[in-house]
Amino acid sequence: MKPLILALVLLAAPVAVHAQTAPAPTAPAAPAPPYGAPIRLEAAQALIERAEAAAEARGFRMAFAVVEPSGSLVAFGRMDDVQYGSIGVSQAKARSAALFRGTTAAAEARVLGGRTVSLAVDDLMPLAGGVPIIVDGRIVGALGVSGASSAEDDEIARAALGQ
């Protein structure tokens, strides 16, 4: 009987709650550039041609997508014998970069850093290779590249944009 009473007393006793330490405040990030008028077809096609030339120079087979700020496709290109999966991935990378006003490399870094809740966000593609297209300080669209490693996809996208 004593063990039962002791157990009940222990269960009823207040339990010390350990305080959680709040994360240290960080400096606010600079605001993302505003949206501008959507990229025109001619400019989108020129970007794809530059990306294709950069990919050919490295011996890659890739897919390239350019979207306007809304994420809607403006132009698409793919090299011969690119894996079919890269078609949709290039479009998803471009859409993500446009909709979230940032590179998909940054999204990938957040997920790899432990911010896995980002994976639940619709239209967020956390694989490098999607880069916003900025003209006169405004986002006019985004370029998405797929076909190699995510780091190489990002390298080709940045080369096409002259970054």
Side-chain angles (χ1 to χ4, degrees):
M1 181 77 138
K2 284 186 182 181
L4 179 60
I5 293 174
L6 180 60
L8 290 173
V9 169
L10 290 176
L11 288 175
V15 178
V17 177
H18 297 283
Q20 292 183 356
T21 305
T26 59
Y35 290 118
I39 188 168
R40 300 190 49 92
L41 178 61
E42 184 177 300
Q45 289 172 327
L47 271 177
I48 289 173
E49 288 172 9
R50 286 199 299 273
E52 185 175 354
E56 281 180 358
R58 295 282 310 274
F60 297 143
R61 297 171 294 197
M62 304 184 112
F64 316 97
V66 175
V67 300
E68 61 181 30
S70 70
S72 295
L73 190 63
V74 175
F76 175 79
R78 71 174 185 88
M79 299 172 76
D80 291 338
D81 202 33
V82 66
Q83 59 195 8
Y84 292 114
S86 289
I87 294 168
V89 172
S90 67
Q91 292 176 24
K93 287 179 179 184
R95 185 173 48 255
S96 181
L99 293 176
F100 294 100
R101 298 182 192 190
T103 66
T104 57
E108 179 178 11
R110 284 191 302 275
V111 170
L112 291 175
R115 186 86 175 133
T116 57
V117 69
S118 301
L119 297 172
V121 177
D122 287 344
D123 292 322
L124 181 68
M125 172 56 77
L127 294 173
V131 181
I133 302 165
I134 300 173
V135 175
D136 295 330
R138 296 187 173 273
I139 297 174
V140 300
L143 171 63
V145 176
S146 180
S149 72
S150 62
E152 291 164 331
D153 293 348
D154 193 60
E155 176 186 327
I156 298 301
R158 289 179 185 282
L161 291 167
Q163 297 179 358

